[in-house]
Amino acid sequence: MKKVVCKSCKMFFEEGGSCPGCKKNSFTTSWQGRIHFINSKESQIAQKMGVETDGEYAIKIR
Ligand SMILES: [Zn+2]
């Protein structure tokens, strides 16, 4: 399955599904860089990005 990126929260999920973070299903395949949060509640980077759910995120989307 191809991985796509949620347009709303930038979390990766499999094409055809919906985002495990925000439950939306609008996605993009235009992204740059990826970052994996395993302790987003205590990560300053995660807080800056507005990440609340652990998982894999794209750094930039278009
Ligand atoms: Zn999302």
Side-chain angles (χ1 to χ4, degrees), residues 42-57:
E42 285 167 30
S43 162
Q44 289 187 350
I45 306 162
Q47 280 165 25
K48 264 189 190 169
M49 287 173 66
V51 167
E52 288 173 2
T53 311
D54 290 349
E56 197 173 18
Y57 290 81

Side-chain angles (χ1 to χ4, degrees), residues 3 12 31-36 56-60:
K3 290 261 185 167
F12 280 90
W31 52 272
Q32 280 186 314
R34 53 166 79 188
I35 185 162
H36 201 145
E56 197 173 18
Y57 290 81
I59 293 169
K60 272 190 188 171

